[in-house]
Amino acid sequence: MSGVGYRQLWAADPGGWRAAGAAWAGLTGPVERHAGELAGSAGRLRGGWSGAAAVAADARLGCLRGEVTSVAPALIEADQVLSELAGCLVVAKARLAEAVARADAAGLVVDRSGGVRVDPTRPRPTEPARVAAALRGALELADAADRQAADRLDELARAAGTGWASPPPPGRPASGATPALVRAWWSGLTPAQRRWLVGHEPALVGGLDGVPVAARDQANRLRLGARRAELLAERRRLLARVPPGPLASLRLRAVAARLAGLDTLTERLATGEPRAYLLGLDPAGEGRVVVALGDPDHADRVLTYVPGMTAGLDDAPGELGRAARVLERCATLAPGERGAAVLWLDYDAPDFLTEAASAGQARDAGGALHRFQEGLRATHEGPPARQTVLGHSYGSLVVGIAAREHGLAADALMFVGSPGVGAAHAAELGVPAAEVWASSAPDDVIRLARPVDELGRRALLGAAPLAAVLGWPDRTGHELWFGHDPADPGFGGRVFPSGRGGHTGYWEPDNPALDGMARVVLGR
């Protein structure tokens, strides 16, 4: 729909575009199955056939498998394009509705073509120019999104005509390259070279801060599918052992648990609104994951949420639900703005209280969170987004230490249910004190996390005391385990209220803390 008009925008159905995108993404499953069948066929041939003809047949099957798998990133990209179009249409329709409501309140009438005229039955109309400008803004947003989607789909169609063929791109970013340098490297590649890297080096692309969100999502979805296929193959091998030994039984249970976690994550990536983007994946150990709801590269407001103790890959869907609730409340308060919320679980969260009593794991995470936020700044398109970083429980210490020791590319910091953020005052965190926010529920047990004496710390940890890390005697009555309570006005930041709900109730729909978090994200 080139040159989107008033009636077209009213009639536009974002849900239909989302469904079309999901249908394209759904084809990745059959593609993966066909690729697996080709790999199985090649394996069987190698086991019972030798000679020059066998070598040639094996090579041909390998080429066919490569051609099949090369389609998968394009299918994901088509889903991304249509989902982003749908998201823009939602915002444009909200702005259109707001402009029409403003016209009505001002004694004006908007006709079927979007023209603004005076309602003769209403006295003293006002703001006709503002209403007309608001209508134009909504239509221009929809038109720009439509043109961008059409251009990207045209480019995909042209690439399909060449068979996705491209030589490997020369050079890779140096180890430790900043996100800004990574972004510059990526910008210098052709679309064909980028697709080659996504398909052939997904681990590199998926883990590089400074690579755009869309490419990281494509690469990490491929990695997720490959890891799931590996686990399914391992489960088949384990089940083939009759009877399985004790170690095999233990491993079988572990494989089943991880498969269940990956299946839940896969389901959330395939369904729900807004579209999810998989920005990081490490299935080793308890697992790490970074998922965005909505596209941070095109959002007006971006929230990065860092969860706390015991969080791991299997907990990702629940933690993602918390980020989603903040995003939903933002959409309710400001339907005409595009938002995105990121679950950042790219660190080893403590599993036990003895681990959570140390700042070590938070300090280890600081550099990675710093690079991630720098990457969001580097890849964002258009005017800079308002970036907010939220930490809950031990995650608030991760955010505080990252901000104090590394600096965070953020406009605002938020802490809820915090045991202290590794700072004595908001001024230490690198953002204006007026943009440091905190909330603590009156019945949150974290309030009991008071500093203990030197001997008690030694007894608890069996190691060096935390005094060297903290260095804050509790003279004010507002000292927590990791420093001054950020929800105390004496910390120097700002406080928003929370109702009762314990340590995890901040995201409940009727808790004023949810409104507070959303308003900070929106900058209101």
Side-chain angles (χ1 to χ4, degrees):
M1 55 182 187
S2 178
V4 176
Y6 178 79
R7 281 183 288 182
Q8 284 178 304
L9 183 53
W10 269 123
D13 176 20
W17 292 110
R18 285 197 185 96
W24 281 106
L27 295 175
T28 57
V31 165
E32 290 170 356
R33 286 195 296 273
H34 288 313
E37 290 167 1
L38 286 169
S41 298
R44 288 190 294 272
L45 283 174
R46 283 193 296 270
W49 190 17
S50 60
V55 171
D58 186 59
R60 180 55 184 152
L61 284 172
C63 289
L64 286 173
R65 183 171 181 268
E67 291 173 8
V68 169
T69 55
S70 69
V71 176
L75 298 174
I76 300 170
E77 187 173 351
D79 175 35
Q80 291 172 337
V81 172
L82 296 176
S83 294
E84 290 164 18
L85 173 61
C88 280
L89 289 177
V90 167
V91 172
K93 286 170 73 72
R95 292 182 185 179
L96 190 68
E98 182 181 359
V100 171
R102 181 185 298 177
D104 183 64
L108 301 167
V109 173
V110 181
D111 62 30
R112 291 184 177 183
S113 64
V116 180
R117 58 183 175 83
V118 174
D119 183 349
T121 67
R122 303 279 293 276
R124 293 189 302 177
T126 59
E127 297 187 319
R130 288 189 181 184
V131 169
L135 289 170
R136 283 195 303 273
L139 296 176
E140 288 169 359
L141 173 62
D143 188 53
D146 174 65
R147 292 177 184 277
Q148 184 180 47
D151 289 345
R152 290 177 64 186
L153 291 174
D154 283 346
E155 200 278 324
L156 265 178
R158 289 193 298 271
T162 66
W164 315 105
S166 171
R172 301 292 183 272
S175 177
T178 66
L181 289 175
V182 171
R183 177 63 169 137
W185 164 74
W186 186 263
S187 297
L189 301 175
T190 66
Q193 289 173 328
R194 295 170 190 164
R195 290 196 182 96
W196 189 95
L197 283 167
V198 167
H200 292 81
E201 299 183 22
L204 171 71
V205 175
L208 268 181
D209 294 315
V211 170
V213 162
R216 292 182 71 170
D217 176 56
Q218 294 166 25
N220 285 314
R221 285 175 184 254
L222 296 181
R223 296 177 65 209
L224 177 62
R227 179 55 180 159
R228 187 175 179 278
E230 291 170 0
L231 289 171
L232 286 170
E234 184 177 1
R235 185 174 69 177
R236 286 193 295 269
R237 289 194 298 271
L238 291 169
L239 289 173
R241 300 180 183 180
V242 182
L247 291 178
S249 296
L250 286 172
R251 179 57 187 162
L252 187 58
R253 285 196 291 272
V255 167
R258 180 47 49 90
L259 269 172
L262 292 182
D263 285 346
T264 302
L265 177 60
T266 301
E267 182 181 359
R268 177 57 189 91
L269 292 172
T271 60
E273 297 178 14
R275 187 189 189 279
Y277 292 76
L278 186 58
L279 305 186
L281 178 68
D282 181 359
E286 294 178 352
R288 302 182 182 190
V289 68
V290 182
V291 182
L293 299 177
D295 179 4
D297 283 351
H298 297 94
D300 304 309
R301 306 285 186 266
V302 180
L303 169 69
T304 300
Y305 163 52
V306 182
M309 182 178 166
T310 74
L313 180 59
D314 295 342
D315 305 300
E319 297 290 358
L320 198 59
R322 292 178 174 178
R325 290 186 200 115
V326 179
L327 194 59
E328 289 164 4
R329 189 58 56 92
C330 288
T332 300
L333 295 171
E337 296 190 21
R338 295 189 67 183
V342 182
L343 167 65
W344 190 85
L345 185 46
D346 195 17
Y347 82 106
D348 179 21
D351 291 318
F352 306 102
L353 285 172
T354 50
E355 292 179 335
S358 167
Q361 284 161 276
R363 182 161 285 108
D364 291 344
L369 182 57
H370 162 79
R371 286 190 300 275
F372 179 76
Q373 287 298 121
E374 292 289 328
L376 289 182
R377 287 282 198 224
T379 60
H380 190 271
E381 298 184 14
R386 175 177 169 84
Q387 303 274 1
T388 302
V389 184
L390 163 67
H392 173 238
S393 191
Y394 193 85
S396 69
L397 179 64
V398 174
V399 174
I401 286 180
R404 193 189 70 187
E405 297 187 358
H406 301 274
L408 286 178
D411 300 287
L413 303 178
M414 270 196 293
F415 309 110
V416 294
S418 176
V421 300
H425 195 275
E428 300 175 23
L429 299 177
V431 301
E435 290 287 10
V436 176
W437 296 82
S439 187
S440 183
D443 58 342
D444 191 336
V445 296
I446 207 71
R447 289 171 174 264
L448 303 177
R450 301 292 180 183
V452 293
D453 60 32
E454 202 83 358
L455 182 60
R457 295 185 191 195
R458 290 179 181 273
L460 175 63
L461 300 177
L466 289 174
V469 175
L470 303 176
W472 299 300
D474 187 10
R475 299 190 183 97
T476 66
H478 295 288
E479 297 299 317
L480 298 176
W481 191 269
F482 292 108
H484 198 112
D485 182 359
D488 170 47
F491 184 70
R494 300 170 74 179
V495 179
F496 57 91
S498 174
R500 301 180 68 85
H503 192 52
T504 60
Y506 298 95
W507 292 268
E508 292 301 317
D510 59 348
N511 194 327
L514 183 58
D515 255 12
M517 287 186 279
R519 292 183 185 280
V520 173
V521 172
L522 294 169
R524 296 186 172 183

